[in-house]
Amino acid sequence: MAFSDHFLTKYSSIWDWRKQEKLSRFSNGNPEGSKISDVRFVNEDDQALLMTGSSDGVIRIFRNYDSDQRIELVTTWRALTDLVQSNINAGMVFDWQQGQGKLLVAGDVKIIRVWAAASELCVTVGSTIM
């Protein structure tokens, strides 16, 4: 099944839009007061994974996200530790660079962090202030 046929609702349900059927529903494990602020389906050349970013600065990666019985949290880490209060409340946003295995993370902070996803190590920190 191609992950390009899948989408995630704001209620953490995975749907196959071609078949018009719900595949699974899961909990992202957010603490009270936080929410999923960004999501990507990644690793399209191998086993598809679901990557979520939350307004509390945490990245979570799931495998088998399309099955209630088999969904598994692969890894989780705090990608942003210094979120600031904002009127916009973007929380955390990210961009996945599949070829390099890197994750660019920003949001309600004054920096952009680049993470090597396989090692969960921050490899670059840049300022968003000009």
Side-chain angles (χ1 to χ4, degrees), residues 57-81:
V58 174
I59 294 287
R60 291 176 181 85
I61 301 177
F62 298 89
R63 79 168 53 104
N64 302 320
Y65 60 84
D66 57 349
S67 167
D68 284 330
Q69 292 78 30
R70 298 184 318 127
I71 191 165
E72 177 184 356
L73 180 63
V74 176
T75 189
T76 183
W77 76 93
R78 187 166 303 279
L80 293 178
T81 57

Side-chain angles (χ1 to χ4, degrees), residues 9-98:
T9 70
K10 72 177 187 173
Y11 302 108
S12 299
S13 294
I14 302 291
W15 284 78
D16 183 318
W17 65 269
R18 286 189 195 268
K19 295 180 181 175
Q20 298 182 4
E21 68 182 14
K22 183 166 83 171
L23 302 174
S24 68
R25 188 175 194 298
F26 69 97
S27 170
N28 194 53
N30 290 29
E32 189 161 335
S34 70
K35 62 183 179 192
I36 294 175
S37 55
D38 206 350
V39 64
R40 296 278 189 284
F41 294 101
V42 301
N43 207 24
E44 60 268 14
D45 296 332
D46 193 14
Q47 181 183 24
L49 302 170
L50 176 69
M51 182 181 294
T52 64
S54 299
S55 59
D56 61 351
V58 174
I59 294 287
R60 291 176 181 85
I61 301 177
F62 298 89
R63 79 168 53 104
N64 302 320
Y65 60 84
D66 57 349
S67 167
D68 284 330
Q69 292 78 30
R70 298 184 318 127
I71 191 165
E72 177 184 356
L73 180 63
V74 176
T75 189
T76 183
W77 76 93
R78 187 166 303 279
L80 293 178
T81 57
D82 41 8
L83 290 166
V84 295
Q85 294 296 335
S86 169
N87 298 1
I88 300 169
N89 195 17
M92 178 175 58
V93 293
F94 62 83
D95 188 39
W96 172 244
Q97 303 294 307
Q98 177 71 35

